[in-house]
Amino acid sequence: MSEQLESGAPTFLDKFPDEAAVVRAALWSSFIALALGAVFGLIQALHRTDVLRLIDSTDYYTVLTAHGVLMVVSFTIFFLVGLFTWATVRSFDRGVESIRYTWTWYGLMVAGTLMAVVAILGGFVPQTDISADVLFTFYAPMQAHPLFYGGLAIFVIGTWLAGADYIWTWRAWAAENPDERIPLQGFMVLTTMLMWYVATIGIAIAVVAFLLPWSLGLFDQINPLLTRTLFWFWGHPVVYFWLMPAYLLWYTVLPTIAGGRLFSDPLGRVVFVLFLLLSTPVGIHHQYVDPGIAEGFKTIAMTNTMFLLLPSLLTAFTVVASVEHGARQRGGTGLLGWLRALPWRNPAFTGMMLAGLMFAAGGFSGMINAGMNINYLVHNTIWVPGHFHLTVGTAVALTLMAATYWLWPQLTNRRLYSRPIGLAQVVIWFVGMGLMSNAMHVQGLFGIPRRTAEPQYEGFDFVASFGSVSELNLQLAIGGTLLFISTMLFVTNIALSAGTPKLSGIGQPLSEPLSTVDDSPEILDNLKLWFGIALVLVVLAYALPLASIIDRGGLLGPGVDPVPMIVEPVAATIEPTLGRLAAAVGSVVP
Amino acid sequence: MRRTTQGGILVGCGVLFVIVWEIRSALGLLAGVDTNPQLYMLLTLAVVGLTAVALAIGLIGLRPEPPADEDAQ
């Protein structure tokens, strides 16, 4: 095994030991959050399906909040900052400007996470008034302890400083290489962080200006719709903040593992620019049933959301083309026969491919969510968690775990403890998610709600159009259990890797794209331009809805009245006009 | 003889299981066919198991041994 791993090239650890320590710390923070989140996820899946009840239903929201926050804030974003630190340093081929600064933002993120987690877990301790049973979607009127909001704020500040670290490294590199194009991984990191700066405007205002002072008792009340809209200002682009690291891995690491080269560097840049532009002005599609936002604004959000399919479809094409190139380099032939030549025994490759396959299914259910009319069928049903367990729960999570199997030796100079266990782990995840997500989608179509410990409350049964609800519950519970087992296999495999012998020369250089950066227009690298356009699009999408909400409810108002359908004011304007016209016609025509 | 690696059998059978089982949902939702869940699960496991055995003994197969550099990643 070691002979096969040894390429003779230095690893990331060999070249940048200080930065590798930060990346390892960030990844371990991520894995700890993943393991804890998985425990809460298992409790939740077994409780909700009534298979095994370890908690009171009154604690369900504490469990649900812990699962959500640990998984989609801590696991994903700690991994992101670790991965982006690796990608920045690797692609610019230079260390960070100040390792003390880098540890500072990491420390802030850890402190923020601990604060938020303490606030959430306080919900299990009735003797204390600390609790944060507000779910991951922590908008008003549900209120958390100030520790929760303060922790989130510090965590986000940590990410801002991480982004500044990457920009600092880029600027230092650019000063020494004024005529060079930004390397692809660096470009992906920078566009992602610029998108994050735009997106977090909403959550920063919501938390710092409203939720935190409200929880501290400085305000008696706040405008729920305003904070809810500000949450979703951030709440949708955060989806892409989770996804873009996975895209970075699919574009830049997966082709190498497949034995080939990225099909097109320019297409990769276009995709990341599109995400920077389009991720944020779409959040209102999460508010289709909110009564305080006019239908016209929701229609605009829906249209913008559909545009987001473009970069995903471009990615599907580019990644599959790159993998096919790799297969053909390995001797694969035929229309589909090349699939046989791929390294399916490699858990890093197989995990990322299975994640991509699941992402395609998640994309289809996402289109249902994004369509205003059919969204009403599934809104707030368990279909929605079924959808995002395919996207963030598999496309992102499984990609990050699979990529770890490739990345970890680069950060530690040690081989993976067991590749067969790694392979079994990614397959178990795929099967577990197939079962759980399928059950969730089908139950959602039967109208079964999400976010509840007791979906079938006393005296009421949902009607299954085929099979039975209890059968789907069992399927969900089995799927959730498999996911838990898979997570534990992953974390254990990585932990045991620390006991394997040290190796040298096991670096894995990434292959160059087939179509290089020289084929792309230089304007793609004009980050100021794209950042400016992104801000303009956000203003266009949000200025009027926010102004309308504030105008009718006030900054701290109790809420706003329902807004009439857009056709009603139009009809109110047209009807008198038609009446006058008819009267005029009547007076002329006898 | 055509040989499929143990890894290939594992991955293929995992994907096959999910596809065959989810066809049951499609039959129920789209065609209104309510299949017996126990029987369908047994059928799914039988299809996956027989496929795994057939791959393992070379009755069906995808290709000769993979390139030697497969483990190098």
Side-chain angles (χ1 to χ4, degrees):
Chain A
M1 185 74 172
S2 61
E3 292 77 14
Q4 291 165 325
L5 272 174
E6 284 166 0
S7 62
T11 60
F12 185 78
L13 173 61
D14 296 330
K15 294 180 74 176
F16 304 103
D18 292 341
E19 287 78 3
V22 179
V23 178
R24 283 197 307 272
L27 262 54
W28 265 121
S29 304
S30 166
F31 301 153
I32 292 167
L34 173 69
L36 288 173
V39 171
F40 289 116
L42 180 65
I43 293 170
Q44 190 184 327
L46 298 180
H47 185 96
R48 184 192 154 101
T49 53
D50 208 14
V51 171
L52 175 66
R53 297 205 151 184
L54 301 172
I55 56 165
D56 290 333
S57 287
T58 48
D59 287 330
Y60 185 79
Y61 287 118
T62 309
V63 172
L64 181 51
T65 307
H67 174 66
V69 171
L70 284 166
M71 287 301 203
V72 301
V73 177
S74 305
F75 161 55
T76 52
I77 298 180
F78 268 118
F79 196 102
L80 178 144
V81 295
L83 182 74
F84 278 14
T85 303
W86 166 78
T88 302
V89 170
R90 197 208 70 81
S91 63
F92 292 117
D93 198 22
R94 60 183 295 133
V96 295
E97 295 304 296
S98 164
I99 196 70
R100 186 172 295 180
Y101 173 82
T102 304
W103 280 112
T104 301
W105 59 250
Y106 168 73
L108 280 176
M109 289 178 65
V110 171
T113 301
L114 290 175
M115 287 168 65
V117 169
V118 166
I120 295 167
L121 298 183
F124 288 121
V125 186
Q127 291 80 8
T128 174
D129 62 350
I130 296 176
S131 75
D133 300 339
V134 290
L135 314 185
F136 156 69
T137 49
F138 48 87
Y139 31 67
M142 290 189 290
Q143 190 185 62
H145 190 274
L147 198 60
F148 177 78
Y149 299 118
L152 286 178
I154 290 172
F155 182 85
V156 171
I157 289 169
T159 63
W160 287 345
L161 296 180
D165 203 2
Y166 310 143
I167 292 171
W168 192 6
T169 306
W170 164 52
R171 296 310 302 166
W173 171 87
E176 295 172 6
N177 302 275
D179 300 324
E180 292 285 320
R181 298 288 297 272
I182 304 172
L184 183 59
Q185 281 191 331
F187 181 86
M188 291 173 163
V189 168
L190 294 169
T191 44
T192 303
M193 294 313 298
L194 290 178
M195 184 278 287
W196 183 242
Y197 286 127
V198 177
T200 45
I201 294 169
I203 202 65
I205 295 171
V207 169
V208 176
F210 298 108
L211 295 170
L212 183 57
W214 176 52
S215 71
L216 286 168
L218 299 177
F219 304 148
D220 291 333
Q221 60 183 25
I222 56 176
N223 184 334
L225 183 60
L226 177 59
T227 54
R228 192 174 155 86
T229 305
L230 288 170
F231 176 89
W232 286 119
F233 181 108
W234 167 81
H236 194 75
V238 76
V239 168
Y240 296 99
F241 198 55
W242 303 326
L243 196 57
M244 285 155 87
Y247 273 38
L248 182 146
L249 291 162
W250 291 349
Y251 273 95
T252 64
V253 175
L254 184 61
T256 300
I257 298 176
R261 297 159 66 183
L262 174 62
F263 180 71
S264 170
D265 172 301
L267 268 180
R269 285 172 202 261
V270 167
V271 163
F272 274 69
V273 166
L274 286 172
F275 278 131
L276 167 58
L277 298 181
L278 298 172
S279 293
T280 310
V282 299
I284 287 175
H285 79 229
H286 288 263
Q287 297 177 275
Y288 284 152
V289 298
D290 283 18
I293 299 174
E295 301 296 298
F297 297 138
K298 295 175 183 175
T299 307
I300 292 169
M302 176 180 69
T303 309
N304 290 344
T305 306
M306 294 303 176
F307 282 130
L308 271 169
L309 288 171
L310 178 61
S312 291
L313 293 174
L314 283 173
T315 297
F317 168 77
T318 310
V319 171
V320 173
S322 307
V323 168
E324 181 184 350
H325 174 262
R328 295 195 185 281
Q329 296 302 303
R330 298 167 62 90
T333 56
L335 185 63
L336 293 173
W338 55 268
L339 284 166
R340 302 169 186 162
L342 290 166
W344 294 107
R345 282 192 300 176
N346 185 336
F349 175 81
T350 300
M352 283 198 255
M353 291 298 284
L354 292 178
L357 189 60
M358 281 276 184
F359 188 51
F364 289 123
S365 62
M367 281 190 276
I368 307 290
N369 301 346
M372 270 178 76
N373 47 356
I374 44 180
N375 173 282
Y376 299 147
L377 285 173
V378 295
H379 196 91
N380 267 343
T381 69
I382 196 172
W383 163 289
V384 180
H387 158 74
F388 64 67
H389 277 86
L390 290 180
T391 51
V392 66
T394 301
V396 174
L398 187 54
T399 295
L400 302 188
M401 287 188 280
T404 303
Y405 293 137
W406 179 86
L407 184 58
W408 200 248
Q410 311 297 313
L411 302 171
T412 60
N413 279 352
R414 296 176 193 274
R415 69 174 175 81
L416 190 65
Y417 174 71
S418 170
R419 276 166 51 113
I421 290 176
L423 185 63
Q425 184 262 320
V426 298
V427 173
I428 290 171
W429 188 279
F430 181 83
V431 173
M433 193 58 81
L435 291 172
M436 191 177 86
S437 176
N438 173 256
M440 287 174 156
H441 277 97
V442 175
Q443 285 193 338
L445 290 174
F446 297 161
I448 297 178
R450 63 188 289 202
R451 294 173 173 149
T452 175
E454 310 288 348
Q456 283 187 283
Y457 44 89
E458 195 173 349
F460 182 82
D461 285 328
F462 289 94
V463 178
S465 65
F466 74 94
S468 65
V469 172
S470 57
E471 171 206 328
L472 290 166
N473 276 338
L474 185 62
Q475 183 179 326
L476 197 161
I478 292 170
T481 306
L482 289 176
L483 291 169
F484 176 78
I485 292 168
S486 176
T487 306
M488 293 304 132
L489 285 176
F490 168 75
V491 176
T492 307
N493 205 356
I494 296 300
L496 291 176
S497 300
T500 62
K502 278 265 185 187
L503 301 171
S504 61
I506 57 170
Q508 295 288 330
L510 299 179
S511 55
E512 288 297 312
L514 287 167
S515 173
T516 67
V517 64
D518 296 332
D519 299 329
S520 69
E522 288 192 22
I523 196 169
L524 280 176
D525 285 12
N526 189 339
L527 297 179
K528 284 181 187 167
L529 172 69
W530 304 123
F531 188 61
I533 294 174
L535 286 172
V536 169
L537 289 175
V538 166
V539 170
L540 289 175
Y542 272 101
L544 288 176
L546 286 174
S548 168
I549 291 167
I550 295 168
D551 181 52
R552 286 177 294 113
L555 279 174
L556 302 174
V560 292
D561 297 328
V563 174
M565 295 285 288
I566 197 165
V567 292
E568 291 182 8
V570 172
T573 309
I574 290 175
E575 275 176 17
T577 308
L578 286 177
R580 283 196 295 273
L581 188 64
V585 171
S587 65
V588 173
V589 180
Chain B
M1 185 170 67
R2 291 179 162 191
R3 293 280 306 280
T4 306
T5 64
Q6 289 180 338
I9 295 172
L10 178 66
V11 175
C13 289
V15 174
L16 183 65
F17 172 80
V18 170
I19 291 171
V20 176
W21 176 249
E22 294 200 356
I23 288 173
R24 173 174 145 72
S25 301
L27 286 171
L29 290 168
L30 301 177
V33 179
D34 191 0
T35 52
N36 181 296
Q38 289 87 5
L39 195 62
Y40 196 96
M41 177 54 85
L42 283 176
L43 180 74
T44 304
L45 292 174
V47 168
V48 173
L50 287 173
T51 306
V53 170
L55 285 169
I57 64 175
L59 198 62
I60 56 174
L62 295 176
R63 66 183 174 96
E65 284 295 312
D69 65 341
E70 181 158 313
D71 286 331
Q73 304 301 330

